[in-house]
Amino acid sequence: MTEEKEFESAFSKGRDTGSPIFENGNEMPVPKDNPGKNGGGSRKVIVLVAGLILCTLLAVGTFAYQTDSLDSLVQYKYSLSEGEQAHQWTYQEFKSLTLSSEYGQSNGMTLKEIIKKYGKGDVSAYKNIATITYSTKSKTYNWVYLSFEKINGSYYLDYKSIDNVEIDGLKISEKPAKPFNKADYNNLKVGDSKTGQGGMSYQEIVGKFGNPQENSLIESAGSSPDLSITYENPSNEPKQYKAKLNFKKTQDGNWHLNEKSVHFDD
């Protein structure tokens, strides 16, 4: 075989197998395929853009979490987990909660402050309003309900209520000492709707019918406190009724009737 033929044979074999070929007695590697520069650059751009998008989403999520800007995050942050127990409130703790003023001159306690001090509860949030309920079973079934208004990214307390408390002469019992009838209800004198002035006192009503079966103390921004009580027959009694009476605290320091409603099962 001639030298020319040997060279052509070696070149053809090297091209097909990737092995070195010989030219003038020297080894020469066969060039290998190389990905185009444009393809590699495109992949780098895609990875960079994906990273930026992920970082942006994480930043937005963190901001939303810290500023309570999303309702679902507020509920997730502050709601009790399964098996957790709500704080059992005392009246003094409830009384110490500061409300916002009526026209916003001062802000009440924040949702975060209350959670930090008293723990989580059952939270609901929608638009600019958040609420939290603490319910516990003790001697009586006890509830604390708090409502907050969102101002500049934070929730401030503007309404609070506590149910079934026994303080300052307020007590509850399982059933009325004397059943209500329609005549009794009609004889309950209601005073001014805003102040209770001129209405029957709480002491007068309790003296006649005994302690109520439920009570609730309510305070809201810019309004004087309310006391609401309920008289009702036990469910096993033949005649059912439910009377709700609302009181305002007047200047003499006593609670006076300002609203009433009743339902009788005839």
Side-chain angles (χ1 to χ4, degrees):
M1 182 180 293
T2 65
E3 184 178 348
E4 182 179 356
K5 293 291 184 181
E6 288 177 351
F7 177 81
E8 288 177 356
S9 176
F11 180 82
S12 178
K13 182 179 180 181
R15 181 183 56 194
D16 294 338
T17 65
S19 61
I21 63 173
F22 297 87
E23 184 177 15
N24 297 326
N26 296 319
E27 291 186 2
M28 183 176 71
V30 176
K32 302 217 178 199
D33 290 337
N34 192 24
K37 292 183 180 179
N38 291 337
S42 297
R43 282 196 295 273
K44 290 181 180 178
V45 171
I46 292 171
V47 171
L48 180 60
V49 171
L52 289 174
I53 292 173
L54 180 60
C55 289
T56 302
L57 291 173
L58 287 172
V60 171
T62 301
F63 175 79
Y65 185 83
Q66 292 176 342
T67 60
D68 300 335
S69 61
L70 298 178
D71 299 340
S72 58
L73 288 179
V74 175
Q75 295 176 198
Y76 175 79
K77 282 175 67 176
Y78 299 136
S79 288
L80 284 170
S81 300
E82 186 176 353
E84 286 186 298
Q85 297 297 316
H87 176 70
Q88 187 167 327
W89 288 74
T90 67
Y91 176 68
Q92 291 304 319
E93 289 173 335
F94 171 81
K95 192 175 180 179
S96 70
L97 299 178
T98 307
L99 296 172
S100 297
S101 60
E102 183 177 8
Y103 299 108
Q105 295 96 335
S106 62
N107 292 325
M109 292 183 71
T110 66
L111 177 59
K112 286 183 178 179
E113 289 173 329
I114 291 173
I115 293 290
K116 184 177 180 180
K117 191 169 185 179
Y118 300 109
K120 297 179 179 181
D122 183 13
V123 176
S124 177
Y126 180 69
K127 293 187 177 178
N128 291 327
I129 302 297
T131 65
I132 182 168
T133 304
Y134 295 87
S135 59
T136 58
K137 288 185 178 180
S138 52
K139 180 182 176 182
T140 58
Y141 196 73
N142 186 258
W143 287 72
V144 168
Y145 175 85
L146 309 175
S147 181
F148 304 78
E149 182 181 8
K150 190 175 183 181
I151 303 171
N152 297 327
S154 294
Y155 290 96
Y156 293 95
L157 184 65
D158 64 357
Y159 177 97
K160 63 179 182 178
S161 68
I162 184 169
D163 293 353
N164 300 335
V165 291
E166 295 192 327
I167 44 87
D168 297 339
L170 302 179
K171 294 183 178 181
I172 59 175
S173 62
E174 291 185 5
K175 62 180 181 179
K178 177 182 181 296
F180 257 72
N181 57 46
K182 292 181 180 179
D184 292 326
Y185 175 78
N186 292 333
N187 288 331
L188 297 176
K189 184 181 178 183
V190 177
D192 184 86
S193 61
K194 293 183 178 179
T195 66
Q197 194 68 41
M200 288 183 71
S201 70
Y202 173 82
Q203 289 80 4
E204 288 180 278
I205 294 173
V206 168
K208 187 171 184 179
F209 299 103
N211 293 317
Q213 284 61 74
E214 297 176 2
N215 67 28
S216 181
L217 285 169
I218 304 161
E219 294 185 43
S220 58
S223 179
S224 59
D226 288 83
L227 168 64
S228 177
I229 65 173
T230 301
Y231 285 102
E232 60 182 337
N233 253 355
S235 58
N236 58 354
E237 295 287 335
K239 289 188 177 181
Q240 298 296 306
Y241 63 86
K242 190 168 190 175
K244 285 188 169 291
L245 310 178
N246 200 79
F247 302 81
K248 286 285 189 181
K249 186 170 278 191
T250 55
Q251 293 180 348
D252 62 7
N254 294 317
W255 296 101
H256 289 267
L257 188 65
N258 72 318
E259 290 179 2
K260 66 178 182 178
S261 64
V262 71
H263 174 75
F264 290 101
D265 286 343
D266 295 325

